[in-house]
Amino acid sequence: MKILVTGVAGFIGFHVAKKLLNLGHEVIGLDNINDYYPMTLKFDRLKELGIEPDFIRYNKKVESKDNNNFCFLRLDITDEVHLSNLFRNENFDYVIHLAAQAGVRYSLDNPKAYIKSNIEGFNNILEGCRNNPIKHLVYASSSSVYGLNKEQPFSVKHQVDNPVSLYAATKKSNELMAHSYSYLYNIPTTGLRFFTVYGPWGRPDMAPMLFAKAISKGDSIKVFNNGNLERDFTYIDDIVNGVVKIMEVSPITDQTLSVPYRLFNIGNGTPVKLNEFIEEIEDALGKKAKKELYPMQDGDVYSTYADTSELENTINYKPQTKLKDGIQTFIKWFINYNSSDINE
């Protein structure tokens, strides 16, 4: 099968592409490689996929030196003309759309970036699928859509009309846009509400990497709401397995679905106190954290907790990675990847 993976230089996109390639699929990876966080990490992920940074040019396909089934294209999803050409020329079977402007706190200062990438860009992806029929579009939503919802665990049956950040609002908008395209043009779409993902090659702006870097160097870490937050931390391998499995199960219009459209939570189903998460990182590094306590931040929520029963019923989704094991693996990668920086 030929699969388009957008956001392939990102954390989840990189791991999804690796999994698909290991399964023997043909993958074209797309990413604009923006500077939201250091581009070096994105280029290093691409190197792992056999793409040498020196050969990367905008809108020029680069073949992997390690895998004949992988090509990379530096392209922005807001580039309507070139994206449309890509869809028309490649005849994709599946699309896994993971490209987006990420980050809740960044959206407070840079709202236009979210409208452009997450709304305009997503519409371009939908148009590509409309004009060049595919078997299934799987796209990234977010647990942030639950916003002020007080009922837990979070269920896809809950109302999500109270977002507390623009990022969350754009992700909810994606779900509505996908539904309209599924209804109007019979495009099979599945939205996955990701809960807090961690693991090797993770984003440097997220808590696991920030904590690991600061603790390893003896610097202090910022802990919001005195550490009394809960997150449904989910290891990357469990996320990837769910993404790939659901890709192969396209929604169809039948007695249960009047529109070929679905939503799922994809998480661990076990919320963890932030302080407990920090303790696991401390144990893995063999160092104690210096904590700076801060109040709750705008746009943040107190707790996330995924009800994954719908996904379990559909693809037998069951996370396998315990927190301690996941953190140990993450820290081993972190120390190896950052060895020179840590030892300075």
Side-chain angles (χ1 to χ4, degrees), residues 177-192:
M177 293 164 70
H179 186 277
S180 66
Y181 271 71
S182 292
Y183 174 77
L184 291 170
Y185 309 114
N186 202 39
I187 301 170
T189 67
T190 295
L192 296 174

Side-chain angles (χ1 to χ4, degrees), residues 8-66:
V8 76
F11 175 31
I12 299 176
F14 160 72
H15 283 282
V16 167
K18 282 187 68 175
K19 179 72 172 183
L20 291 170
L21 291 168
N22 288 338
L23 292 172
H25 294 294
E26 181 182 354
V27 176
I28 292 182
L30 178 156
D31 204 291
N32 67 354
I33 319 181
N34 67 20
D35 60 358
Y36 168 63
Y37 59 78
M39 297 162 64
T40 302
L41 179 59
K42 299 179 182 183
F43 284 123
D44 285 345
R45 293 184 186 126
L46 290 173
K47 284 182 184 178
E48 288 288 305
L49 295 170
I51 302 297
E52 292 297 330
D54 290 344
F55 295 105
I56 295 175
R57 302 287 187 276
Y58 190 78
N59 196 40
K60 179 183 177 183
K61 196 188 298 185
V62 182
E63 295 183 358
S64 169
K65 64 182 180 62
D66 299 329

Side-chain angles (χ1 to χ4, degrees), residues 132-306:
N132 306 273
I134 60 168
K135 296 178 180 178
H136 193 187
L137 165 64
V138 178
Y139 63 94
S141 185
S142 168
S143 62
S144 66
V145 302
Y146 289 104
L148 296 177
N149 179 46
K150 303 296 184 185
E151 190 177 353
Q152 290 198 350
F154 293 155
S155 167
V156 291
K157 295 183 173 66
H158 292 167
Q159 291 295 319
V160 287
D161 298 329
N162 300 287
V164 294
S165 70
L166 182 63
Y167 171 70
T170 63
K171 288 300 184 178
K172 173 58 180 174
S173 298
N174 287 171
E175 296 175 0
L176 296 172
M177 293 164 70
H179 186 277
S180 66
Y181 271 71
S182 292
Y183 174 77
L184 291 170
Y185 309 114
N186 202 39
I187 301 170
T189 67
T190 295
L192 296 174
R193 291 174 176 172
F194 291 106
F195 284 67
T196 312
V197 189
Y198 74 97
W201 297 99
R203 276 173 36 202
D205 62 313
M206 293 188 70
M209 193 81 86
L210 292 171
F211 291 161
K213 185 173 183 179
I215 295 170
S216 66
K217 300 184 75 171
D219 297 334
S220 60
I221 62 173
K222 293 181 179 180
V223 181
F224 296 98
N225 199 44
N226 299 315
N228 294 318
L229 300 174
E230 288 186 332
R231 292 292 181 267
D232 200 334
F233 290 103
T234 313
Y235 190 66
I236 183 63
D237 289 359
D238 293 321
I239 290 287
V240 169
N241 288 336
V243 172
V244 172
K245 282 186 178 180
I246 202 63
M247 178 198 77
E248 297 172 340
V249 184
S250 298
I252 58 173
T253 303
D254 57 17
Q255 292 180 340
T256 58
L257 286 176
S258 57
V259 177
Y261 165 92
R262 296 176 308 199
L263 286 173
F264 295 106
N265 288 331
I266 183 165
N268 197 53
T270 308
V272 174
K273 290 279 189 184
L274 185 59
N275 281 326
E276 180 184 343
F277 190 80
I278 294 170
E279 288 171 4
E280 291 291 353
I281 293 178
E282 290 174 326
D283 289 345
L285 285 170
K287 293 185 177 181
K288 297 297 290 184
K290 300 175 184 177
K291 299 179 182 179
E292 293 181 6
L293 302 181
Y294 288 82
M296 193 73 169
Q297 281 221 318
D298 291 339
D300 221 340
V301 296
Y302 289 98
S303 178
T304 63
Y305 179 5

